[in-house]
Amino acid sequence: MDSSNDKQTNPGKTLPFTEIVHIIESLIVSRPMLKSKPSLEHHSVLESKPSLEHHPIPQSEPSLETTAVRPVITATATSGNSSPKAATKSEGNNSSEGRKEDRKIDDILEKIQNNLNQIKDSFIQLQKLEESSLAKQLKNCLGNLKNLLESEEKETTGNTNAPLFSDIKKKLMKLKYQIPSLRKLSWTSPTAQSQTSGGSTVGGSVQELPKLHKSESFKNGSFYKEIEDIFVRLEDKEKFFLSCFAVLTEHAVVKRRLLTYWGLGEGFLSESNSETDEETPEKIVDKILEKLQEMGFIEPAMRKRKQEVRSYKMDPLVRSAMIMICKKKKSDGDSNGNAVEYSALANKAFLVKREEKSLVGESPSQEGEDQSQNLDPEILVTLFNVNKHSPDTQLNNLANKKSKDVKVVDWLSKMKSLKVLYLGRWQKSAGYHIEVKDTAFLKGLKSMEKLKFLSLQGISRINKLPPFISMLKNLVVLDLKDCYNLEVLSEDISSLTNLRYLDISNCYLLGNMPKKLSSLSELQVLKGFVIGDPRRGKLGALEDLKGLKKLKKLTIIATRKDFPTPEDLGALLKLEALRKLTIAWGVQPKNSEEQAKAGELSKHETSLLRKAAESSVHPSDILPNKLEKLDLQCFPYSTPTWLKPGDLPMLEKLYIRGGNFTTLEKGTWKVKALRLKYLSGMKRNWRELKELFPELVYLERVKCPGITLCPCDENGVWQNPKT
């Protein structure tokens, strides 16, 4: 056959997919015989099986399930020198084990067949899109898979077991998970483009879409059915996180931290109880999000290369499909007619703007419907503010739906089953303003005994928390970040003995730190702890944290320029579980004369040393040696005497931002990720940095004119290409 003509009739011939189909079908057909360990080289099926390489896949090609031979579980074969009696005896001894292994292998083979069918359907679409970037990526994956299958086909001689096919299944699943991205391309056809208000192009992002989740044509399309087919196979945790993206606004950038807190609140994640626990909620969420990214459901939200992905977003088409899935009821069934129930939005309410009323109520309602009248506060599990700037007003309106005599406090008091109350800002932009007229509605929290996650982040006009906050004994996460008007943090907070996460970052008006924070024995993350002048007596001291034996992450706001003193460092050493430390200085030296005296002890520091010698805190000049991450912001002097590479053998991430920092201690650092930002006085070249940090794999340099000759990109980022 002429090659040029063949290329025209089969534009996908360059892909090794047909060869993979042939190899897989050969393995499936030969499996019953493989149990008796024959040689594949003499297998009649393999010898007579025609190669698919020279046969283009037609549009009407039947499913593999109709062409591949199903393995026969009861089939047996004996070698030439074995008698039937001996074979029967052997089979009797291993019948139970054999049947179990057969069922396991057959289950795997069935999944392989289903995956191949889905890949084949997408391959037909891919033939039309061979020049796209996604097609090129898939070519590489198929090539790698082909090599693996060929090698395993040779190794199959004389041996077959479930792990062999399991490995093949894993490779195929990883390949199939990339298919949703290809499915999205099918929606960029002229028909699909005419339904969008801005149109879209292959590989481009869709800016605006109609309400596709209300369209029957969208529901009956291949894209939706593909998403639903994959969705039903996911674990409950994975379904939950996808539903979180669906209920938030289109194009929303969602932080990993929000998903972690939300998962903890609703019980999809368990609290980490040990300082050495490897399966922390954060690590579990990272694995789930990485899997969902590989499957094409979500994508990283990054403007430049970063070592870690902390935010994600969902394509509008995928989000439309997810909304439709989340709205399904048990009677609806899936695309195959199976009776299933998606309860992702059951017993939940979302506060949204009027033009987006489809998300108000127990679940997303249809256009023109308002289910808020049917909202039963007694069964609510989650109440989430999606985009209301005045959540207290919306809560008051909901309380008055049935009767104008119902007060919002009484209505909230009925929410005894509530686990997640998120009234604050979740948006990445700090400019998204939320405020309340008064804080009277907070009295309704008194009865929320099951509440695990409370967020008032970014809400203005909250100057203090009500004293009955201490009654929320099950609270795991308390998020008060960016509450700019918060002036008092009551000692009552020390009664929250189950609290794991406390965020009081950027609460600039806080005039005190509770002295009994050590009572929070389960606390693992504390952000925004303000260190003050001990002569004032109101702001915090590290000695107040000595009881936090499980504290893993600490963010400190230092209002003294002499921080940390030897006494402070001695107190830090008591936090044995501490792995991540951030220190931000809020006071700069008044003049260069003070900088010159940085190495000298002031009278105040001398006094502190004397007091430390008399107290239980032993002065120190080193940081905790188990730190893995250290973030220093606006350090007021040139050289910290307590920052030495030999004292930090486990430090992998070192971030230095702003201030007068100029000199790094000489020695060999174990650091792998280094961020240097706004350091006008630091002077190093690339060779010197590599000598200091021989294990460096990531460097981010921003506005550091003295750091030269670094092979960074236009964003100031360098990554080791070998990683």
Side-chain angles (χ1 to χ4, degrees):
M1 181 182 293
D2 183 75
S3 60
S4 62
N5 187 39
D6 182 75
K7 185 175 182 179
Q8 292 177 355
T9 57
N10 183 12
K13 182 179 180 299
T14 55
L15 289 173
F17 181 81
T18 52
E19 299 174 46
I20 293 175
V21 173
H22 172 44
I23 294 171
I24 286 290
E25 287 182 333
S26 299
L27 288 171
I28 294 174
V29 170
S30 61
R31 199 199 61 84
M33 298 300 296
L34 288 175
K35 289 173 61 178
S36 58
K37 301 182 180 180
S39 171
L40 285 178
E41 295 177 2
H42 304 289
H43 200 293
S44 59
V45 177
L46 288 176
E47 289 178 353
S48 60
K49 183 78 176 179
S51 173
L52 299 179
E53 180 179 0
H54 303 294
H55 297 274
I57 300 177
Q59 296 289 332
S60 60
E61 182 169 354
S63 168
L64 288 177
E65 294 180 1
T66 62
T67 58
V69 179
R70 284 286 296 162
V72 183
I73 296 179
T74 57
T76 60
T78 60
S79 57
N81 55 4
S82 299
S83 65
K85 187 176 181 179
T88 304
K89 183 179 180 181
S90 175
E91 183 178 345
N93 293 335
N94 300 287
S95 59
S96 178
E97 245 180 65
R99 285 195 297 269
K100 185 177 180 180
E101 182 75 5
D102 282 337
R103 286 194 296 269
K104 185 176 181 180
I105 294 176
D106 281 356
D107 182 61
I108 294 174
L109 290 175
E110 184 177 357
K111 291 179 180 179
I112 289 177
Q113 285 180 321
N114 292 336
N115 291 336
L116 278 172
N117 284 328
Q118 292 183 14
I119 295 175
K120 181 187 289 185
D121 292 340
S122 297
F123 176 70
I124 294 172
Q125 298 290 333
L126 183 62
Q127 288 178 320
K128 305 173 184 178
L129 301 165
E130 186 176 6
E131 299 305 318
S132 70
S133 59
L134 283 171
K136 293 176 182 178
Q137 294 175 15
L138 190 53
K139 285 181 185 180
N140 295 332
C141 291
L142 285 167
N144 295 334
L145 183 59
K146 174 178 174 291
N147 294 334
L148 172 70
L149 291 172
E150 287 179 339
S151 63
E152 293 204 353
E153 183 186 18
K154 295 176 182 178
E155 295 173 2
T156 307
T157 303
N159 182 29
T160 182
N161 48 38
L164 172 78
F165 294 103
S166 293
D167 196 26
I168 296 173
K169 188 194 76 171
K170 289 178 182 178
K171 297 293 182 182
L172 280 170
M173 286 293 289
K174 187 174 182 180
L175 175 62
K176 190 190 76 170
Y177 287 161
Q178 299 184 41
I179 301 304
S181 296
L182 295 173
R183 289 292 192 189
K184 284 185 252 180
L185 295 179
S186 66
W187 265 83
T188 59
S189 63
T191 303
Q193 290 184 25
S194 65
Q195 297 177 4
T196 65
S197 63
S200 61
T201 57
V202 175
S205 61
V206 181
Q207 297 301 320
E208 294 183 14
L209 290 174
K211 297 184 182 300
L212 293 178
H213 55 275
K214 299 177 182 180
S215 167
E216 283 299 317
S217 60
F218 178 74
K219 182 178 180 180
N220 296 327
S222 61
F223 178 81
Y224 172 78
K225 291 180 179 179
E226 174 73 12
I227 293 293
E228 185 182 48
D229 182 60
I230 298 176
F231 180 85
V232 297
R233 301 171 188 268
L234 297 176
E235 297 179 0
D236 289 341
K237 292 179 184 178
E238 296 161 351
K239 292 178 180 178
F240 165 73
F241 287 120
L242 287 177
S243 71
C244 292
F245 283 91
V247 300
L248 299 178
T249 54
E250 192 169 285
H251 303 296
V253 175
V254 184
K255 292 182 179 180
R256 179 194 64 178
R257 181 174 63 249
L258 169 61
L259 298 173
T260 303
Y261 291 170
W262 201 342
L264 284 167
E266 294 211 15
F268 287 94
L269 299 174
S270 300
E271 300 91 1
S272 175
N273 294 313
S274 171
E275 59 267 25
T276 59
D277 192 353
E278 293 297 327
E279 283 298 303
T280 62
E282 290 81 3
K283 291 182 179 179
I284 294 174
V285 171
D286 280 339
K287 291 178 182 178
I288 293 175
L289 294 177
E290 184 178 347
K291 178 180 177 180
L292 296 178
Q293 178 189 341
E294 290 179 354
M295 297 172 72
F297 282 107
I298 59 177
E299 58 188 76
M302 297 189 300
R303 293 183 179 179
K304 59 183 178 181
R305 292 184 297 168
K306 287 190 176 181
Q307 192 180 33
E308 296 179 349
V309 180
R310 297 180 179 274
S311 301
Y312 292 84
K313 58 184 179 180
M314 179 177 280
D315 185 278
L317 285 173
V318 179
R319 178 177 176 269
S320 295
M322 287 308 309
I323 291 176
M324 188 171 284
I325 290 172
C326 290
K327 286 168 57 179
K328 270 184 172 292
K329 299 178 181 179
K330 188 172 183 178
S331 58
D332 294 336
D334 63 11
S335 57
N336 296 319
N338 300 317
V340 293
E341 182 176 6
Y342 305 133
S343 57
L345 298 175
N347 303 330
K348 300 181 185 180
F350 303 92
L351 308 182
V352 298
K353 293 180 180 178
R354 183 175 299 275
E355 60 268 24
E356 298 177 23
K357 267 291 178 64
S358 60
L359 287 178
V360 176
E362 298 178 51
S363 62
S365 60
Q366 297 295 330
E367 185 74 27
E369 293 183 12
D370 186 357
Q371 295 191 9
S372 58
Q373 288 186 345
N374 302 322
L375 202 59
D376 185 355
E378 296 184 5
I379 63 172
L380 278 184
V381 174
T382 294
L383 179 58
F384 196 101
N385 181 14
V386 175
N387 56 5
K388 287 294 290 186
H389 293 284
S390 302
D392 58 329
T393 302
Q394 180 74 354
L395 290 175
N396 188 63
N397 293 338
L398 290 173
N400 293 332
K401 281 292 182 180
K402 288 188 175 181
S403 173
K404 293 185 178 181
D405 296 330
V406 178
K407 296 181 179 180
V408 65
V409 173
D410 297 331
W411 187 69
L412 289 172
S413 297
K414 295 180 181 180
M415 298 183 183
K416 297 182 179 181
S417 299
L418 201 70
K419 294 181 179 180
V420 175
L421 179 59
Y422 202 110
L423 299 179
R425 183 187 70 236
W426 58 268
Q427 290 83 349
K428 192 172 182 179
S429 172
Y432 191 88
H433 183 69
I434 299 179
E435 68 175 42
V436 294
K437 293 181 179 179
D438 58 61
T439 58
F441 72 96
L442 291 178
K443 295 179 181 179
L445 275 62
K446 185 184 299 185
S447 303
M448 299 180 184
E449 298 178 354
K450 295 184 179 180
L451 193 65
K452 300 180 74 174
F453 176 23
L454 171 62
S455 176
L456 303 175
Q457 182 181 152
I459 300 181
S460 298
R461 297 189 179 182
I462 295 180
N463 55 14
K464 64 179 180 179
L465 295 179
F468 50 77
I469 192 77
S470 60
M471 301 176 65
L472 306 178
K473 300 297 185 181
N474 287 309
L475 200 63
V476 175
V477 182
L478 179 56
D479 179 14
L480 303 174
K481 182 180 180 181
D482 296 334
C483 288
Y484 304 121
N485 300 114
L486 188 64
E487 299 176 2
V488 179
L489 197 59
S490 171
E491 292 288 348
D492 297 316
I493 199 174
S494 61
S495 300
L496 303 176
T497 53
N498 200 44
L499 200 65
R500 262 73 167 180
Y501 301 81
L502 174 59
D503 193 346
I504 49 177
S505 304
N506 303 331
C507 298
Y508 301 117
L509 296 183
L510 270 180
N512 74 305
M513 284 287 117
K515 295 295 183 182
K516 298 181 181 180
L517 282 179
S518 283
S519 302
L520 304 176
S521 57
E522 297 295 329
L523 197 65
Q524 298 176 14
V525 176
L526 174 56
K527 297 182 179 180
F529 186 75
V530 182
I531 298 290
D533 190 330
R535 290 171 293 189
R536 293 178 57 189
K538 291 185 177 181
L539 291 178
L542 287 177
E543 178 70 8
D544 300 333
L545 307 180
K546 61 184 178 182
L548 304 182
K549 301 300 183 183
K550 297 183 179 181
L551 192 67
K552 299 179 181 179
K553 185 174 183 178
L554 174 62
T555 299
I556 296 172
I557 310 299
T559 62
R560 323 187 317 248
K561 64 186 179 184
D562 62 350
F563 182 85
T565 63
E567 184 184 34
D568 295 322
L569 293 170
L572 279 175
L573 291 179
K574 287 191 171 185
L575 304 176
E576 299 175 357
L578 193 63
R579 298 294 181 269
K580 298 179 181 180
L581 176 62
T582 298
I583 306 175
W585 283 264
V587 176
Q588 297 289 336
K590 296 179 180 179
N591 51 52
S592 58
E593 183 179 345
E594 287 192 0
Q595 288 193 42
K597 295 181 180 179
E600 301 178 7
L601 290 176
S602 65
K603 292 181 180 180
H604 173 56
E605 291 171 326
T606 304
S607 174
L608 287 176
L609 282 174
R610 185 172 60 255
K611 290 180 180 178
E614 298 171 355
S615 70
S616 60
V617 177
H618 297 288
S620 173
D621 62 347
I622 61 173
L623 291 168
N625 61 5
K626 293 183 180 180
L627 283 182
E628 298 172 358
K629 177 182 176 182
L630 179 61
D631 188 348
L632 305 176
Q633 301 174 14
C634 301
F635 181 66
Y637 302 117
S638 61
T639 307
T641 57
W642 36 264
L643 184 60
K644 304 173 184 177
D647 297 334
L648 299 167
M650 299 177 63
L651 191 67
E652 293 189 350
K653 299 176 182 178
L654 177 59
Y655 303 163
I656 305 174
R657 177 189 178 102
N660 298 313
F661 199 112
T662 60
T663 308
L664 283 164
E665 185 79 18
K666 290 185 179 180
T668 302
W669 295 78
K670 299 292 185 180
V671 170
K672 296 180 180 179
L674 178 64
R675 289 182 181 175
L676 305 173
K677 297 184 176 182
Y678 311 107
L679 301 174
S680 57
M682 181 176 286
K683 299 185 184 300
R684 294 281 181 181
N685 59 40
W686 176 243
R687 180 181 59 81
E688 292 171 334
L689 283 178
K690 289 292 289 182
E691 289 177 356
L692 287 172
F693 305 97
E695 299 182 23
L696 196 66
V697 297
Y698 178 89
L699 170 66
E700 187 173 351
R701 179 201 61 184
V702 177
K703 294 188 177 180
C704 300
I707 301 176
T708 58
L709 304 178
C710 298
C712 300
D713 62 16
E714 65 276 9
N715 294 313
V717 175
W718 170 84
Q719 282 183 307
N720 190 330
K722 295 181 181 180
T723 57

